[in-house]
Amino acid sequence: MKITNSQLEAVAVKPNQYPAGDLKEIAFAGRSNVGKSSLLNLLTGRKKLARVSGSPGKTRTINFYLINDAFRIVDLPGYGYAKVSKSVSESWGPMMEQYLGSRENLLKVVLLVDIRHAPSKQDVEMYEYLRHYGLDGVVVATKADKISRNQMQKQIRTIRQTLGLGGDDIVIPVSALKRTGHEDLLDLMEALLEG
Ligand code: GTP
Ligand code: MG
């Protein structure tokens, strides 16, 4: 699949702000600063579609992007960033739960983890949560440019073990910096959307 058309369709903190549930959605979840917004920009080939920042906590709303006029990619707010205000961190849970727990056109949630580290306790909790809703099975290991090819296989094994992935579950290493891995993810997304 190639993405030829992408646009921000809606920014939401509550369900009545979501776009109509007419198109299939694939969402990106993961801790703050892991590279969710960068991945969206990589996939769409647009450097400034989603705002990227070196300081964590950039995306604090649920952002719906219309892709090829055919489906949506949903950029979710990150977790695990201590410095956001109390009101922001308290609203994160309900905001995510409302979306993940009741969005019927949500096909899959791609969990992003940093390839350099074992998944955190919060990553494991997030994945368990996705499993509970049947939204699990695809993990993207971000920032693959930061480690050597040798280290890559070892880190992917650690990610698989820590999240308790099975043989059918997929881990795709991606680098937004070097622009690698996105074609594999796009092919997988295409298969999910068709399936
Ligand atoms: P929140 O919106 O806070 O949840 O963060 P996010 O997950 O959207 O992360 P974002 O895409 O804003 O990226 C965070 C930082 O990581 C930025 O400084 C990016 O440039 C950097 N980054 C993202 N992906 C990569 C990558 O593949 N390689 C490298 N080296 N840096 C990356
Ligand atoms: Mg972001």
Side-chain angles (χ1 to χ4, degrees), residues 165-178:
L165 300 191
D168 292 339
D169 300 328
I170 293 165
V171 181
I172 303 177
V174 165
S175 167
L177 188 75
K178 293 270 173 71

Side-chain angles (χ1 to χ4, degrees), residues 68-150:
N68 291 351
D69 292 315
F71 71 101
R72 297 190 188 101
I73 293 176
V74 181
D75 189 10
L76 295 169
Y79 48 82
Y81 178 53
K83 280 188 188 152
V84 297
S85 72
K86 201 163 173 233
S87 63
V88 167
S89 62
E90 278 174 355
S91 59
W92 183 88
M95 181 165 60
M96 292 286 278
E97 200 147 326
Q98 280 168 344
Y99 178 71
L100 297 174
S102 62
R103 187 70 166 163
E104 290 193 355
N105 52 319
L106 176 59
L107 204 61
K108 189 67 76 182
V109 178
V110 178
L111 180 69
L112 280 70
V113 296
D114 189 319
I115 201 163
R116 293 170 294 176
H117 312 295
S120 68
K121 186 164 170 273
Q122 279 175 307
D123 292 330
V124 174
E125 281 170 12
M126 188 71 211
Y127 197 72
E128 289 294 336
Y129 189 84
L130 298 179
R131 200 179 262 138
H132 173 77
Y133 283 108
L135 296 165
D136 60 312
V138 182
V139 175
V140 160
T142 64
K143 311 194 183 186
D145 52 277
K146 299 242 189 197
I147 61 169
S148 71
R149 270 204 91 77
N150 267 343

Side-chain angles (χ1 to χ4, degrees), residues 33 35-38 50-53 57-60 75-78:
N33 221 36
K36 299 176 293 298
S37 298
S38 300
R51 212 169 293 163
V52 165
S53 169
K58 195 72 201 170
T59 311
R60 295 179 180 184
D75 189 10
L76 295 169

